[in-house]
Amino acid sequence: IGYKVLDKATLDKCEADLQAYGVKTERLPAGDLLETGERVRFQAPSGHFFELYAEKAVAEGGNGCGLVDPAPWSPASQRGIAPVRFDHCLLYGTHVAETHKLFVEVLGFHLTERVLSPEGDRNLIVFLSCSGKSHDIALADYPEPGKLHHLSFLMGSWEQVLRGGDIMAMNKVPVDIGPTRHGVTRGKTIYAWDPSGNRFEIFNEDRHPYPDH
């Protein structure tokens, strides 16, 4: 999973902060990933690899609405389900408590919600945000490291989630669960499977927490 940081100075600071915390980092050269500047790669205690970068080329076309006096929406961009953007991911892995601590203390995320164990003595899932979203990443306790549960794409409304479900049905996309509403994040959702076996979600949320909510 890659995250864009504010600028190169922030990238350098994040790398230094990770190293000071005891996390090994690798600096990857600009251009190693298409249209992307230097990247800092590290492995979290959960077994997942993350990258931070500051520079990314911006496509001229964007969303087709134009950069000056933009149209409200572009018919040319409305193909298929047409999500607004990639929104978040849920990762399964070991040492969730240590990974949670790393993301909060070093990378500046904050906890928005959590799922407790039946005994109430530890977190089974943590939902972390570095924005005003309900979560930018979620981490779930799992016996194997480095696993992916799902990637999620934001839709503009509950109606667009349902329309996406119709499109998946017409194209015989195998649905995992939904349409339904989450208790956590209050999100409206459908989970489905892509042809290579990865689970994905189309999602709309009502809840927008702030760090001091």
Side-chain angles (χ1 to χ4, degrees), residues 5-207:
V5 301
L6 182 64
D7 52 27
K8 190 175 184 302
T10 305
L11 183 67
D12 293 340
K13 183 179 186 305
C14 286
E15 182 178 35
D17 290 346
L18 285 163
Q19 291 173 353
Y21 194 77
V23 176
K24 182 182 177 182
T25 66
E26 179 184 2
R27 179 73 71 131
L28 301 170
D32 178 63
L33 182 66
L34 187 65
E35 304 291 354
T36 308
E38 286 187 308
R39 289 145 41 227
V40 171
R41 177 182 291 172
F42 66 94
Q43 187 174 21
S46 62
H48 299 93
F49 285 93
F50 294 89
E51 293 183 354
L52 307 175
Y53 62 94
E55 299 169 340
K56 173 76 80 170
V58 179
E60 290 183 21
N63 61 8
C65 295
L67 299 177
V68 178
D69 192 20
W73 59 277
S74 169
S77 69
Q78 299 298 301
R79 295 187 299 275
I81 294 173
V84 175
R85 62 162 189 257
F86 173 72
D87 190 78
H88 66 267
C89 60
L90 170 57
L91 304 179
Y92 274 21
T94 54
H95 306 293
V96 164
E98 292 91 335
T99 305
H100 173 196
K101 185 177 180 184
L102 171 68
F103 268 69
V104 170
E105 295 188 6
V106 180
L107 298 177
F109 285 68
H110 58 274
L111 178 71
T112 59
E113 293 189 75
R114 57 186 178 153
V115 176
L116 291 171
S117 67
E119 300 77 22
D121 60 348
R122 63 190 178 93
N123 295 326
L124 293 181
I125 311 177
V126 292
F127 297 80
L128 307 175
S129 179
C130 60
S131 63
K133 293 157 52 179
S134 65
H135 57 309
D136 288 288
I137 189 171
L139 301 163
D141 188 42
Y142 196 70
E144 296 180 55
K147 306 295 284 186
L148 170 69
H149 184 271
H150 72 271
L151 303 171
S152 181
F153 297 91
L154 180 70
M155 305 302 297
S157 68
W158 182 213
E159 289 75 17
Q160 290 182 18
V161 173
L162 296 175
R163 176 179 175 274
D166 288 336
I167 292 172
M168 286 191 280
M170 289 187 289
N171 288 276
K172 296 181 172 55
V173 175
V175 170
D176 181 26
I177 189 171
T180 187
R181 179 191 281 273
H182 287 305
V184 178
T185 77
R186 317 303 188 267
K188 283 108 36 171
T189 177
I190 299 173
Y191 289 99
W193 301 96
D194 75 12
S196 54
N198 297 300
R199 186 189 284 109
F200 69 93
E201 176 189 31
I202 55 174
F203 166 84
N204 176 259
E205 67 177 353
D206 295 325
R207 188 169 183 273

